Amino acid sequence: MGRFDGRIALVTGASRGIGRAIALRLASEGADIAVNFRSDRDAAAETGRAIEDVGVRFTLVQGDVGRPDEAAGLVASCIADLGGIHMLINNAGVSADMLTMRLSEEDWDRVLDTDLKGAFLTTKAALRPMIRQRWGRIINIASVVAYTGNAGQSSYASAKAGLVGLTKSVAREVATRGITVNVVAPGLVDTDMTDSLTDEIRTWMLNQVPMGRPGTVDDVAGAVAFLASDDAAYMTGQTIKVDGGMVMF
Ligand code: NAP
């Protein structure tokens, strides 16, 4: 018996990194998983095979979360292929690290479209079926920079701060419908996204982490699994920071 037996989750950006770890963690506890990816079908298929290995069902759903028709299509495909949607994990994200005075409008839009508008679009599509079944979990993956800001990350921090506002607002709208909406905010986690950091910036960031190590994708997945579980039934509109103590407010 797993905590998520009979539940179905859509995880956006699940082809690699944190999204992949979340998908595998929920699957390992019994959930069927819709694995969203944008471009890398081979990587998504690998996530799918690992899900199948733990004995649950999966489906691959390709689409850009920032495009309205594609985002709604992801939720529709999850329901069509697996039979419903109980958990929506808005994990897909990109960054465009650049000082604001050099940041192009295109990069600003790309980050906001993926990291913020994408979560709005999938949430909008998932709410009706969740309200109908009077149970749902929406978990948005933000970042500690939503709370602190970060030089060179104005678009990313704005998108993630917006995601916290979206979370709290939707949480209030559906609180009586058996649906909780929460945020997991990682600090520094080793993935493709952080691969491009220079040694200097990485060392500087690690110096801000009381635990003295970067987070792992499984550290983040564990917090998501908690919020998705019945143990977190009375938590909504909240943020769990998974950051080794980096930001303590
Ligand atoms: P990653 O390794 O770069 O993976 C990003 C994932 O998002 C990939 O699966 C990618 O799919 C998908 N994706 C990107 N744009 C998409 C779009 N428009 N539509 C659908 N999927 C899209 O990133 P990560 O480090 O695992 O980050 C995952 C989440 O955690 C992000 O929201 C990120 O902001 C957040 N986060 C990360 C860190 C960190 O230190 N790594 C810290 C705080 C927060 P394709 O490969 O198919 O394009």
Side-chain angles (χ1 to χ4, degrees):
M1 277 287 286
R3 283 195 291 185
F4 306 128
D5 286 353
R7 303 270 191 224
I8 297 162
L10 167 61
V11 184
T12 68
S15 55
R16 54 198 161 90
I18 292 170
R20 179 174 204 270
I22 292 169
L24 292 181
R25 176 63 190 263
L26 298 179
S28 73
E29 297 198 51
D32 295 324
I33 310 288
V35 176
N36 162 246
F37 65 103
R38 181 186 44 175
S39 54
D40 193 343
R41 179 171 288 275
D42 289 346
E46 216 171 283
T47 304
R49 276 191 293 277
I51 289 169
E52 208 167 38
D53 283 349
V54 302
V56 295
R57 298 179 302 150
F58 78 95
T59 186
L60 300 184
V61 289
Q62 181 167 18
D64 182 334
V65 294
R67 293 173 182 259
D69 49 336
E70 294 184 28
L74 301 179
V75 174
S77 298
C78 176
I79 294 170
D81 296 353
L82 297 175
I85 180 163
H86 300 101
M87 302 179 257
L88 168 64
I89 318 299
N90 285 310
N91 165 79
V94 292
S95 59
D97 295 354
M98 183 71 67
L99 290 176
T100 304
M101 62 184 182
R102 293 201 198 118
L103 182 68
S104 69
E105 194 178 333
E106 288 71 29
D107 276 343
W108 170 274
D109 286 345
R110 185 171 58 85
V111 173
L112 271 287
D113 281 354
T114 305
D115 296 29
L116 179 56
K117 188 176 168 189
F120 156 66
L121 293 169
T122 53
T123 297
K124 184 175 154 83
L127 279 177
R128 211 177 293 278
M130 286 182 177
I131 288 171
R132 226 178 281 129
Q133 73 203 4
R134 302 195 72 80
W135 199 93
R137 292 284 189 270
I138 299 174
I139 298 162
N140 295 322
I141 309 302
S143 162
V144 290
V145 303
Y147 294 88
T148 61
N150 198 18
Q153 288 198 309
S154 58
S155 57
Y156 185 69
S158 300
K160 296 301 191 182
L163 193 53
V164 174
L166 173 71
T167 302
K168 291 178 179 175
S169 303
V170 180
R172 288 180 186 278
E173 290 174 6
V174 296
T176 59
R177 310 299 187 99
I179 302 167
T180 67
V181 192
N182 290 291
V183 168
V184 170
L188 176 66
V189 180
D190 282 332
T191 65
D192 292 349
M193 186 179 265
T194 47
D195 247 7
S196 56
L197 294 177
T198 63
D199 285 349
E200 195 189 349
I201 291 183
R202 195 183 147 75
T203 305
W204 176 82
M205 287 181 84
L206 275 179
N207 283 336
Q208 324 287 313
V209 180
M211 287 189 185
R213 67 161 176 91
T216 67
V217 294
D218 293 326
D219 289 328
V220 181
V224 171
F226 166 68
L227 287 172
S229 76
D230 289 333
D231 289 337
Y234 198 54
M235 290 179 65
T236 198
Q238 306 301 315
T239 297
I240 297 181
K241 299 190 189 80
V242 181
D243 65 350
M246 196 176 189
V247 178
M248 294 191 186
F249 59 83

